[in-house]
Each structure stands twice: as C-alpha cells, then as structure tokens.
Amino acid sequence: MRDSGLSELVRLGANESAFGPSPKAVEVMAAALPHLWWYGDPESYELREALAAKHDCSIEQIVVGSGIDDLMGLAVRAFVPPGGRALTTAGSYPTFNYHVTGYGGALSFAPYRDDGTVDLDALVEIARRERPQVLYLANPDNPSGSFAARARVQAFYEALPHDTLLFLDEAYGDFVDPGDILPAHLEDRLVRTRTFSKAYGMAGARIGYAISSERNVQTFQKIRLHYGVNRNAQVGALASLADPAFHASVVRETAVAREAYYALGTELGVPTLPSLTNFVLFDCGSVARANRVMAELLKRGVWIRKPAVAPLDRYVRVSAGTAPMRAAFAQALRDVLAQVPV
Ligand SMILES: *Cc1c(COP(=O)(O)O)cnc(C)c1O
C-alpha cells in the first residue's frame, strides 16, 4: 500500500484465505480477549487433544508452533547441525531455507521440471548423492500449486536415504482429497506440518502444528519457546476445528475460485497451471511481462505476487478470492493485458 499510494488493496498476494476465519472462532477469540493477561497453555493441551483425534494419533505425536514457519526453524535447529546440509526445490517456499542458512547449514537444490512440477526423481538422486540431514518438500507445493498423490509420495519417501529426514509441508493439505494424502506415518524420519493460516483463515493469529514420532516431538518440546503460541490463536484454532461445516465451505469456495481463474486465463490468453491449493498461476509468456503485469495490477489496487525462479518466473500467482475480489482482479487484468504487450 505504501508503494502504490493506495489506502486499500485487493489482497491476492499471500495465499491468505479471503473467506476469513470461522465466525465461531471469531466469537470465542473476541470473548477470550480480556484474558490476554494470561499466558497461553504452554502444552497447547486441548488443541493437541483435538488434533490427535482428527489425525488419529496420540497427543505425544503432535507439537504446536506459531505457524509452520516456526516449526521449520525447530526442525532445522534440531536436525541440521552447523555445517550440515538440507535439500529443497529451487524456487519453492523459501522460509525453510532462511532457517538453514541462519543456523549455519548448507543448501542443495533440485530444479523444478520443465512443466513446473516438483521433480521428485531429481530430489531422490541428489539426496542419495549428498546425504542431506533434512529434505524439504511442500506437497501441494507453493508456488507451483502442483501435487504428488499418495502412491507417488510413498515411493519417494521409501527411495530416500534412511538417514535423511523428510520435512513434508502440507500447508495446503486441507484442499486435497484426504484419500490422496499419505496416511499417518509416525516415524523418526518424517515430520509433517499443517497450518491454520490457509483453509482455516487465521494467518495473522500464527498457529500451526507438526505431526511426527514421539521422539521427534519430544525433541521439539525441548527447544521450542514455551509461550511462543498466542493464547487467542489456541482458542481460535480449537473453535475452528469444531466447525467442520465452515472449513468444508472454504474448501468448496476455493475450488470455485480456481475454476473461475482457469476460465479467465483461457479467455484472456494467459494459460493457467492446475492447482490443488488456494492459488493459481497465470502464464504471462515472459519474465518481463509477468513483472509488468504484477506492477500494473498493483497500480490498479490489486496485489498479487510471482515466482522468482525458472521455469515458473514467467507466471504470476493469484490467491483464491471471493467473487467480488475475483471480479476486481478480472477487470484489472483485462485492462493490464491489453496494455502490456506479449
Ligand atoms: C503459507 C505457507 C506456509 C506458512 O505457514 P504458517 O503456518 O503461516 O507459518 C508454510 N508452507 C507453505 C508451503 C506455505 O505456502
């Protein structure tokens, strides 16, 4: 907003949920607000209990953090020693990399495939050669939106060296058919993460969790900040879990938004990539044009972002919006594409 000089933006740049949090969560958080002088429960006990029921595991297999970004830091601190190595996809979600660098580890990268999907074979090959302590995989992936289904992830996991821990970031797991997600594997070399930031619409509350073996969870419990999770976020997350109808409606609305974007891309000659997330990539044909499109949209009050690394850097990334947000975006995009030559 400071850059554009506008006092309001159509927010389609951070994959937040335009559909907001559950009204029930808002209600309990508002009621809990006067208790902000209390610390939160350092164990997140009730929330972990509800999450354990949801994922059919025990509360000793769940750790709550202030978002996946926080849990990534714990995993890196616990498992990548200074001078150690981690492996990821070049251009995928970057926060993991910041932690690796910050804690003194080295990074190896596999490129995306030419079609913009994550190259699981290349990751296995590099992992076998370089023996990273941790491999980071977002599935579904951000920013590509691509997804590897259950059997593929299972085979990938089994093909990895047995001393490499797989950090499986399922930030967008809520948008995928549960039958397509890897079933619960609670092993020492697998850490999976989920968040309340996306489908639950609570990005600003900062709360997420990891599921892993009891041993790994104990390790995280030793090194995490004991009052690092916001008390209101704990209350809101618990209420969100108790409102599955709202969650289902967000997942449905998000699918409607994706379909609308696919149709818009076809109509305007900016083809889209299939996505199993709450965002869609539009192919602007070149990096220069994608940058122009993003800048021109901002001037018109529409905030989006774009991937930085090839082959996805000629795309712009647009989060799922409500119908009015989509209409504002469509109008601005039509206008901008007419002005920015291919
Ligand atoms: C949005 C996003 C996150 C951030 O999750 P928080 O719980 O808000 O920290 C993590 N991973 C991926 C792939 C994301 O897109």
Side-chain angles (χ1 to χ4, degrees):
M1 281 160 55
R2 273 193 299 274
D3 287 349
S4 64
L6 300 168
S7 60
E8 204 180 316
L9 294 179
V10 181
R11 287 182 71 90
L12 298 172
N15 304 340
E16 299 151 333
S17 180
F19 309 102
S22 154
K24 290 181 183 155
V26 173
E27 197 181 308
V28 296
M29 287 191 282
L33 211 48
H35 291 292
L36 269 186
W37 63 278
W38 298 3
Y39 284 109
D41 172 9
E43 307 289 326
S44 294
Y45 192 90
E46 284 174 63
L47 178 58
R48 282 163 65 222
E49 214 171 35
L51 290 169
K54 173 179 157 111
H55 292 287
D56 201 16
C57 64
S58 84
I59 76 164
E60 282 81 28
Q61 291 159 328
I62 294 188
V63 57
V64 175
S66 59
I68 294 176
D69 287 1
D70 173 35
L71 296 157
M72 286 172 176
L74 296 183
V76 170
R77 195 143 59 96
F79 300 114
V80 184
R85 183 164 292 275
L87 171 61
T88 181
T89 298
S92 183
Y93 190 74
T95 309
F96 174 79
N97 309 359
Y98 306 152
H99 290 296
V100 172
T101 305
Y103 290 120
L107 282 159
S108 297
F109 297 98
Y112 278 110
R113 291 157 50 101
D114 291 341
D115 64 2
T117 59
V118 172
D119 193 339
L120 295 179
D121 296 331
L123 285 168
V124 168
E125 196 194 305
I126 298 170
R128 287 186 173 168
R129 195 170 64 231
E130 303 197 353
R131 300 274 161 163
Q133 277 88 15
V134 178
L135 189 162
Y136 172 79
L137 174 69
N139 193 45
D141 178 61
N142 179 13
S144 71
S146 68
F147 176 68
R150 184 171 174 158
R152 189 81 183 84
V153 176
Q154 179 76 47
F156 167 76
Y157 176 65
E158 280 162 14
L160 293 176
H162 283 201
D163 46 5
T164 293
L165 181 145
L166 175 61
F167 190 102
L168 183 59
D169 181 351
E170 295 178 329
Y172 299 98
D174 293 298
F175 300 109
V176 176
D177 188 324
D180 286 340
I181 295 255
L182 206 61
H185 270 291
L186 302 161
E187 297 174 11
D188 288 339
R189 64 184 193 94
L190 179 62
V191 172
R192 307 166 75 163
T193 51
R194 291 291 189 95
T195 182
F196 287 92
S197 297
K198 303 282 158 63
Y200 289 101
M202 290 182 32
R206 309 307 303 130
I207 188 159
Y209 57 99
I211 306 178
S212 190
S213 65
E214 287 186 27
R215 182 160 167 250
N216 286 345
V217 167
Q218 272 166 21
T219 300
F220 294 144
Q221 301 289 27
K222 283 181 204 161
I223 62 173
R224 71 186 170 83
L225 289 179
H226 278 259
Y227 294 110
V229 179
N230 173 327
R231 181 173 191 279
N232 244 31
Q234 291 172 325
V235 171
L238 194 57
S240 297
L241 289 175
D243 191 358
F246 179 80
H247 182 264
S249 77
V250 170
V251 172
R252 254 191 336 265
E253 286 300 318
T254 303
V256 169
R258 286 195 306 256
E259 292 298 328
Y261 286 163
Y262 297 157
L264 181 70
T266 305
E267 181 202 327
L268 299 182
V270 279
T272 49
L273 287 182
S275 167
L276 273 165
T277 63
N278 67 353
F279 59 84
V280 168
L281 295 187
F282 293 78
D283 187 352
C284 296
S286 71
V287 180
R289 190 171 190 235
N291 278 314
R292 283 280 311 276
V293 167
M294 184 170 67
E296 289 296 323
L297 284 172
L298 186 59
K299 285 187 197 161
R300 289 162 179 78
V302 178
W303 177 58
I304 62 163
R305 294 188 69 193
K306 70 176 287 299
V309 175
L312 295 172
D313 52 351
R314 62 172 202 268
Y315 292 81
V316 292
R317 191 192 70 187
V318 186
S319 308
T322 59
M325 293 166 85
R326 297 198 301 266
F329 163 66
Q331 194 188 344
L333 183 65
R334 203 168 272 125
D335 192 26
V336 165
L337 288 173
Q339 283 177 28
V340 179
V342 181

